[in-house]
Amino acid sequence: MQLAWLALLPFLAALMQAALPNSARRSAAWVAGGTALAVLGLLLSAAPTVFSGEVLRWSTPWVPALGLDLGFRLDGLAWLFALLISAIGALVVLYASYYLSPREPAARFFLFLLLFMGAMLGVVLADNLLLLVVFWELTSLSSFLLIAFWQKEPAARAGARMALLITGCGGLALLAGVLLLGHIVGSYSLDVVLASGAQIRAHPLYLPALLLILLGCFSKSAQFPFHFWLPNAMTAPTPVSAYLHSATMVKAGVFLLARLYPALGDSSAWFWIVSSTGLATLLIGAYVALFKHDLKGLLAYSTISHLGLITLLLGLDQPLAVVAALFHILNHACFKAGLFMAAGIVDHETGTRDMRNLNQLGRYLPVTATLTMLACAAMAGVPLFNGFLSKEMFLAQTLQPGLPAPLQWGLPLAATLAAALSVAYSVRFVHDVFFNNPRSRPSPQLPHEPPWGMRAPVALLVLICVLVGLMPQMVGPLLASAAQASLFGGQPGQLPAYELAIWHGLNLPLGMSVLALLGGGLLYLFWHQRVDLHTLEQSPLLGRLNGQRGFERQLARLRSLAAWLTRGLQNGSLQRYLLCFVLMALLAGAAPYLAQGSLSFSWQPGSPPGYAFSALWLIGLLCTLATLHAFRQRLLTLVLLGAVGLLLSLAFAYFSAPDLAMTQLSVEVVTTLLMMLALHWLPKESRPERQHWRTGRDALIAILAGIGSAALVYAVLTQPFDSIARFYLENAPALGGGNNAVNVIIVDFRAYDTLGEIAVLGIAALIILALLRERGLPPLTVQLTGSDNDRHPLMLSVAARLLLPLALLAALHFYLRGHNQPGGGFVAGLVLAIALLLQYVAQGRQWMAARSDGDLRPWIGWGLLLAGLTGVGSWLFAAPFLTSSYDYPRWPLFGHVPLTSAMAFDLGVLLTVTGATVVMLNAIVRLSASKESARWK
């Protein structure tokens, strides 16, 4: 259960955060920071168990039919990433509480941050690949909210949209790959998948699954060619950038590469695809970073480069390379979070991040300058810092024997060049901001040291960089545990021999490091003095290869295509919508027969229909023909269609389906009344069709649709009868506690479907209200005044008043008896809605407005909430969602009374159906009244 708290605590804290006003800045920060520290405490308490090699697990069934459990798994790799998420998350909260302006909605910011933290913890802790994909997409959604936090800025909205589109599409590719992986293995359990590497690699679907999963990983971790979204996400507040770049968003992709390495690695496809992508990203990111004038832009491209380094190491397909990748993940998180916070301090104190406008800030920010220089030294790989250790391990792995011939010399050369570029952009960061830059323009404001709450997180992160650089053995158990989990996936295995030490003697990797340090310094000196970086608007050679422009061009083409399709399909013509719908239904129905290449039916004589059914059929046929004849007269057509619906309900009763008959009858009454009110806005007769060919077209489509429907019904009726109905009839009393199998199906066996249906009904009512409001509908809270010009017959008014209490009793009767006899919440809601509709028709809106505002929107919300809570309540008893229970308690005077938890769900159905129906009615009535009334209150 501790694992469940570990993963779900941020979401629970987010609910608390949602209740805080935006002005509660300090309380919001305490909630967010306390949550991060609580997660960190739970992690530290589990450290001895995890470091011993044990894998902690917790799970509960969620959707067993799909093999989906709500479960979490904590091993060394998950522990490492959860440590970064929680520890750096706590520092980011502290930093943000001082960084954000008092005018900004801090509670909302920390709410989004907690959602993002919870989504990331879910990704690293999920023990099921489908659950991992769910949390993966949550990271995309929550990061969208964080990047667009300054929503009034167009650049923030554009950057958030770009990040969501690219990572969201990558998430869809990941989902497809996971589905293929589950098909290959036969399970989505992470333990099973990680133990089935040989089976996966030998399967024909291995390569498609690998490509799809890598697409998801590369898009999330900003690997070439998807790297361009990350710099555009720099429009987010600096605390968000620090969190996304160091411990969370972009690390999710490399985490998944490390997680699935036992299942997908150790193949030539893995080696070439992953290593080449990582190498390209490493070089491109390092090169472009040198020419960026924006501090956060420089750091963003340096993050892209370092992520490419990690990806390259994972792609080399060697155990020691995986160890080096995990070590660099840890080191990069520390110095990159500190550098982003330092950049935020510069921006916070000077009002700009443009290095062309910054000059000699070391005199004004001596503490910040010192911390930044130390963090840049770690990023550049200077000895005695943590970055030097993992960089040297990286350089050593590029020299491994057995590489293909071109890589034996090309890979070490490229690695040294990338290391030199990292030194160059690190030197530029320090020199341009804190030292001599006489040609720069003055900063907008005179800077000074920030509050301690902004410096303390940077100081702590820099201290970790120094301590790990001097005493690397302090992270030895953590690194060994993470490497064991990544290499062997929880299975026993022997780690390769390696040593975390400052000095490994005079060797080639050390020489490459020295060459990179000297070459990087000289490279920056050359570009600074001979070219003047400040005069360059884009990076040479690669400036024209702008992924953002290509993305925007493709997006513009997609929008043009969407606009063209919309103009062709959604032109406001209901006739065209119906035509498209019927044609698609015809194609879908005919597709199986066309695929078989034949249309064969066998006549099977059955028992002749009785006289009653024949009479119903004949009357229905006559009503249909009359509708075809009088379809231009809208009111008459509506009456005839209502008669057809009435005959259909009688047919249900003839076939011993009273529940269906009652529901059909109630729906027909409600629909007819609502349509009669809507006819107020339409002419009494429709205009004749000017183009006669359209009449012939519509007649042909109608005939085909009728023949197709009849053929489908006949095909179903002539098939061998093998229905699931017997299961419901036999198990409704025992499992659902009711004798009315139809109602038990609705509120128990298929309650999930019913929950979706009432949600759709409620949404439809609110959409109708919103659409009619565009036509001048006043808000429901506004009282309408003015004369009610419609005449209301006295007999109808008196009868309606007398019928209202009887209808309420009937609705209550149907609701209470529905579990054992025909009825239920749906029918009861319709009966109650009909009673209220009748009052509007019989008494008029003035009479109703004097007694009720008619705003039943809360009924929709309360109904859906009650239905949902009924399902959640079953979890408290370790039962699946919406599982019902029943009992027969003995009450005085009444004896044994059947009670079932599904009655609460049925009450939610009743409230939603009544609320949605009355909201639609009220919208139509008020629209009519608003056009007639000259005054509003």
Side-chain angles (χ1 to χ4, degrees):
M1 192 62 184
Q2 180 177 336
L3 272 184
W5 282 110
L6 185 66
L8 301 178
L9 189 59
F11 294 108
L12 298 176
L15 291 176
M16 296 176 56
Q17 199 76 261
L20 295 176
N22 282 320
S23 58
R25 182 190 188 92
R26 187 176 298 273
S27 300
W30 275 108
V31 170
T35 302
L37 292 176
V39 172
L40 180 61
L42 292 173
L43 277 174
L44 295 176
S45 66
T49 306
V50 173
F51 289 173
S52 67
E54 185 178 346
V55 179
L56 301 179
R57 295 179 178 85
W58 177 87
S59 67
T60 185
W62 188 13
V63 189
L66 298 178
L68 182 57
D69 294 339
L70 181 63
F72 303 103
R73 180 181 186 274
L74 182 63
D75 58 6
L77 182 64
W79 198 95
L80 167 64
F81 277 87
L83 172 71
L84 296 177
I85 294 166
S86 57
I88 295 182
L91 296 178
V92 167
V93 171
L94 174 61
Y95 180 87
S97 62
Y98 289 87
Y99 176 88
L100 294 176
S101 167
R103 298 183 300 274
E104 292 173 331
R108 188 177 68 186
F109 175 84
F110 290 120
L111 168 63
F112 295 161
L113 193 70
L114 285 172
L115 290 175
F116 184 67
M117 182 187 299
M120 277 302 305
L121 286 173
V123 167
V124 302
L125 295 175
D127 75 339
N128 186 292
L129 289 179
L130 291 178
L131 183 63
L132 185 148
V133 173
V134 172
F135 284 114
W136 184 280
E137 292 297 71
L138 281 177
T139 62
S140 297
L141 294 173
S142 52
S143 64
F144 171 82
L145 298 174
L146 286 170
I147 296 170
F149 178 72
W150 287 330
Q151 56 191 4
K152 294 182 179 180
E153 299 291 334
R157 298 195 301 270
R161 183 172 60 249
M162 181 183 296
L164 180 63
L165 284 174
I166 294 176
T167 60
C169 292
L172 294 177
L174 175 64
L175 175 60
V178 163
L179 293 176
L180 287 180
L181 205 58
H183 171 73
I184 295 171
V185 178
S187 172
Y188 296 103
S189 171
L190 199 56
D191 290 319
V192 177
V193 171
L194 295 180
S196 306
Q199 176 186 350
I200 294 171
R201 289 185 288 272
H203 199 278
L205 292 176
Y206 166 68
L207 186 58
L210 175 66
L211 291 174
L212 289 168
I213 292 174
L214 290 181
L215 276 176
C217 296
F218 292 162
S219 61
K220 191 72 113 181
S221 285
Q223 297 297 287
F224 177 82
F226 309 106
H227 61 285
F228 56 87
W229 72 262
L230 189 57
N232 287 278
M234 293 302 96
T235 51
T238 298
V240 175
S241 302
Y243 201 35
L244 261 65
H245 284 248
S246 62
T248 53
M249 179 77 163
V250 295
K251 291 290 175 61
V254 293
F255 162 79
L256 193 56
L257 290 176
R259 169 60 78 201
L260 295 180
Y261 178 80
L264 300 178
D266 195 18
S267 70
S268 59
W270 172 277
F271 173 83
W272 286 109
I273 297 173
V274 179
S275 61
S276 59
T277 302
L279 180 60
T281 309
L282 167 66
L283 293 173
I284 292 173
Y287 178 75
V288 176
L290 180 60
F291 302 98
K292 287 296 173 182
H293 305 305
D294 181 14
L295 282 177
K296 288 175 68 174
L298 183 151
L299 292 176
Y301 275 99
S302 74
T303 297
I304 293 171
S305 179
H306 283 272
L307 290 170
L309 185 154
I310 297 167
T311 302
L312 172 59
L313 283 170
L314 293 170
L316 290 178
D317 221 356
Q318 293 294 323
L320 269 179
V322 175
V323 176
L326 296 175
F327 191 26
H328 196 68
I329 288 173
L330 177 63
N331 293 334
H332 176 263
C334 295
F335 63 68
K336 189 52 62 72
L339 283 172
F340 266 105
M341 292 179 186
I345 290 175
V346 172
D347 185 19
H348 188 271
E349 298 303 322
T350 64
T352 181
R353 300 193 308 261
D354 193 333
M355 288 185 286
R356 294 170 294 186
N357 299 335
L358 299 172
N359 182 22
Q360 297 181 348
L361 291 184
R363 295 185 302 175
Y364 305 99
L365 307 172
V367 176
T368 302
T370 303
L371 295 175
T372 304
M373 285 187 285
L374 294 175
C376 281
M379 181 169 65
V382 175
L384 305 183
F385 290 90
N386 61 349
F388 169 75
L389 300 175
S390 53
K391 183 188 71 174
E392 198 170 45
M393 292 179 70
F394 161 63
L395 295 175
Q397 289 307 302
T398 63
L399 299 169
Q400 62 174 306
L403 289 174
L407 295 181
Q408 290 180 0
W409 60 269
L411 188 58
L413 181 62
T416 306
L417 175 61
L421 289 171
S422 71
V423 174
Y425 62 66
S426 300
V427 173
R428 186 190 178 192
F429 187 111
V430 173
H431 181 265
D432 278 13
V433 175
F434 298 107
F435 293 100
N436 188 29
N437 187 9
R439 284 170 291 184
S440 65
R441 296 182 288 272
S443 59
Q445 60 192 47
L446 187 65
H448 56 80
E449 287 288 358
W452 72 270
M454 295 179 68
R455 285 181 295 173
V458 184
L460 182 58
L461 290 167
V462 169
L463 178 63
I464 295 173
C465 293
V466 175
L467 290 177
V468 174
L470 295 175
M471 298 178 291
Q473 298 83 4
M474 64 185 295
V475 297
L478 169 60
L479 182 59
S481 175
Q484 180 78 28
S486 179
L487 288 170
F488 307 109
Q491 303 297 320
Q494 183 65 38
L495 285 176
Y498 65 91
E499 182 184 6
L500 296 178
I502 302 175
W503 178 254
H504 293 279
L506 296 174
N507 53 26
L508 189 53
L510 179 62
M512 296 166 68
S513 294
V514 173
L515 180 62
L517 288 171
L518 295 176
L522 293 174
L523 185 64
Y524 171 72
L525 185 63
F526 169 79
W527 281 105
H528 180 68
Q529 293 187 350
R530 297 297 180 90
V531 180
D532 190 1
L533 293 172
H534 290 183
T535 63
L536 298 177
E537 294 299 330
Q538 59 185 13
S539 56
L541 301 179
L542 297 181
R544 294 183 178 181
L545 300 178
N546 193 315
Q548 178 184 355
R549 284 200 296 266
F551 171 81
E552 290 174 348
R553 282 197 298 267
Q554 296 301 323
L555 193 60
R557 291 173 183 171
L558 185 61
R559 287 172 176 166
S560 299
L561 176 61
W564 177 76
L565 289 174
T566 302
R567 287 193 301 269
L569 296 177
Q570 194 173 353
N571 62 344
S573 171
L574 295 178
Q575 289 85 352
R576 179 170 295 187
Y577 300 160
L578 186 60
L579 174 66
C580 295
F581 177 79
V582 174
L583 285 177
M584 290 303 298
L586 280 172
L587 291 175
Y593 300 103
L594 296 177
Q596 295 176 1
S598 63
L599 298 174
S600 59
F601 294 95
S602 59
W603 173 257
Q604 295 185 7
S607 58
Y611 291 110
F613 182 78
S614 299
L616 290 177
W617 180 84
L618 182 59
I619 296 173
L621 179 60
L622 292 176
C623 290
T624 303
L625 294 175
T627 303
L628 291 175
H629 177 72
F631 71 94
R632 298 191 192 285
Q633 303 178 37
R634 289 191 167 97
L635 180 59
L636 179 57
T637 302
L638 179 61
V639 173
L640 292 172
L641 289 176
V644 173
L646 175 61
L647 292 171
L648 183 60
S649 64
L650 293 176
F652 284 139
Y654 178 82
F655 286 111
S656 301
D659 281 281
L660 295 180
M662 293 170 60
T663 304
Q664 176 67 32
L665 182 61
S666 303
V667 169
E668 283 298 327
V669 173
V670 170
T671 306
T672 302
L673 288 173
L674 289 175
M675 289 300 298
M676 287 180 66
L677 292 171
L679 287 181
H680 175 77
W681 294 97
L682 298 173
K684 293 182 179 181
E685 294 186 2
S686 60
R687 292 178 298 178
E689 185 62 63
R690 295 179 180 179
Q691 298 176 328
H692 297 290
W693 68 268
R694 289 188 176 182
T695 304
R697 178 202 63 185
D698 295 342
L700 177 61
I701 294 174
I703 292 172
L704 291 176
I707 294 175
S709 300
L712 182 61
V713 172
Y714 182 78
V716 171
L717 293 177
T718 56
Q719 293 297 318
F721 184 74
D722 185 15
S723 173
I724 198 176
R726 185 172 298 278
F727 168 83
Y728 291 131
L729 292 172
E730 293 176 350
N731 291 279
L735 299 180
N739 295 316
N740 183 2
V742 174
N743 184 261
V744 174
I745 291 172
I746 292 173
V747 301
D748 191 335
F749 291 127
R750 304 297 296 271
Y752 222 139
D753 293 346
T754 306
L755 181 61
E757 290 164 1
I758 61 174
V760 169
L761 179 62
I763 293 171
L766 297 177
I767 290 175
I768 290 174
L769 182 64
L771 291 175
L772 291 182
R773 185 169 292 175
E774 295 182 0
R775 298 286 304 273
L777 176 70
L780 294 181
T781 54
V782 175
Q783 292 291 336
L784 296 177
T785 61
S787 62
D788 197 347
N789 296 324
D790 292 336
R791 295 181 179 181
H792 306 286
L794 178 61
M795 184 177 295
L796 180 61
S797 300
V798 174
R801 296 186 192 185
L802 295 176
L803 286 175
L804 180 59
L806 297 178
L808 294 177
L809 286 177
L812 179 62
H813 173 69
F814 285 136
Y815 165 70
L816 292 177
R817 76 176 225 164
H819 215 56
N820 291 284
Q821 298 181 40
F826 195 86
V827 173
L830 289 174
V831 170
L832 182 56
I834 290 171
L836 296 175
L837 284 171
L838 185 60
Q839 302 308 308
Y840 275 101
V841 173
Q843 313 294 346
R845 59 179 176 83
Q846 291 297 325
W847 187 89
M848 289 293 295
R851 290 156 179 80
S852 172
D853 60 2
D855 185 7
L856 295 192
R857 286 177 296 177
W859 285 41
I860 300 175
W862 285 113
L864 292 173
L865 180 63
L866 182 59
L869 289 178
T870 306
V872 173
S874 59
W875 287 349
L876 302 177
F877 300 93
F881 185 69
L882 284 173
T883 300
S884 66
S885 179
Y886 64 92
D887 195 7
Y888 296 91
R890 182 177 180 85
W891 288 11
L893 302 178
F894 293 98
H896 292 283
V897 177
L899 291 179
T900 173
S901 60
M903 291 183 66
F905 181 86
D906 221 9
L907 180 59
V909 174
L910 187 154
L911 293 174
T912 305
V913 170
T914 305
T917 306
V918 176
V919 164
M920 289 185 282
L921 160 77
N922 204 14
I924 298 173
V925 170
R926 292 174 70 85
L927 181 62
S928 302
S930 66
K931 299 299 182 181
E932 299 169 1
S933 177
R935 295 182 296 113
W936 291 354
K937 275 187 180 179

